[in-house]
Amino acid sequence: MANRSKKVVLSARIDPFLKSGMDALSAFTNQKIVKLLETLIENGLNDRVVKNPFSDSPENKDLPLMRLLKAVWSEDEILYQLRLGVLSRLGVKCTSEDVSVITAEVLDNERFKGECDLFDGVTGLSKEAGSIRFKYMVDIGRVRDEWKSLNTYSMFSRNNRPLAISYDQFLIVVGIQRDYSKVVI
């Protein structure tokens, strides 16, 4: 697994006027454009308020997106994606359809039940924001082993609507799973 604590490359096409504005702001503030972009993105994430999935309290119904993402962040890409998938299930859409499908499969399929709590180490955002109310227990080793197959299954499901087959059926169809006794068709 790659180290996710280092900087990543972001490539985007923007309007020339905005690029000129970034150059002017860079000169005005004596900051590099990269630092300005990081600041603007961080400000945008702080300004965006989402439904707080961890609190039933009317006083704590909203939460800055940045605070939520920091609370569930993990350098482990698979763990982080699953956490985002859980947040989407709780009403905060912050991941792709594919990750939502994968998360649903991992949480609902018996083959992925295990001893790892997806939110272990995320004991709560704070007293004000609330804490995670449910345990999401998975076999994270099996999820890691099957992550590529789960991604392929999600893409297959999306590209072949309205056909609906289970993940276990999919594994048989593509020849990955050969133990047919564990599959209910």
Side-chain angles (χ1 to χ4, degrees), residues 153-167:
Y153 168 70
S154 179
M155 288 186 292
F156 175 85
S157 296
R158 180 173 26 89
N159 293 331
N160 292 285
R161 287 186 182 123
L163 177 68
I165 66 171
S166 72
Y167 177 66

Side-chain angles (χ1 to χ4, degrees), residues 30-89:
N30 198 26
Q31 291 183 354
K32 295 184 179 198
I33 288 179
V34 171
K35 179 62 181 158
L36 288 174
L37 285 172
E38 285 180 340
T39 302
L40 290 171
I41 291 169
E42 190 169 321
N43 289 343
L45 290 171
N46 277 317
D47 291 344
R48 180 68 179 182
V49 176
V50 297
K51 174 183 161 268
N52 184 348
F54 306 123
S55 176
D56 291 326
S57 169
E59 304 90 49
N60 302 324
K61 67 178 181 150
D62 294 326
L63 183 68
L65 181 58
M66 176 65 108
R67 188 165 171 210
L68 182 62
L69 295 176
K70 279 184 176 180
V72 300
W73 169 257
S74 172
E75 288 189 24
D76 180 332
E77 175 72 15
I78 292 172
L79 184 60
Y80 183 62
Q81 291 298 319
L82 289 172
R83 287 175 177 175
L84 293 178
V86 168
L87 294 179
S88 289
R89 283 175 72 129

Side-chain angles (χ1 to χ4, degrees), residues 97-145:
E97 179 184 350
D98 286 333
V99 171
S100 293
V101 167
I102 291 168
T103 302
E105 191 61 43
V106 167
L107 296 180
D108 298 339
N109 190 326
E110 286 296 318
R111 81 187 285 121
F112 296 110
K113 298 291 183 228
E115 301 296 317
C116 175
D117 181 358
L118 287 181
F119 288 92
D120 186 37
V122 181
T123 55
L125 298 171
S126 70
K127 288 182 180 176
E128 308 87 49
S131 60
I132 294 137
R133 299 182 296 247
F134 311 106
K135 286 201 177 282
Y136 298 92
M137 306 301 288
V138 300
D139 179 346
I140 196 69
R142 185 163 208 170
V143 173
R144 285 185 214 295
D145 291 344

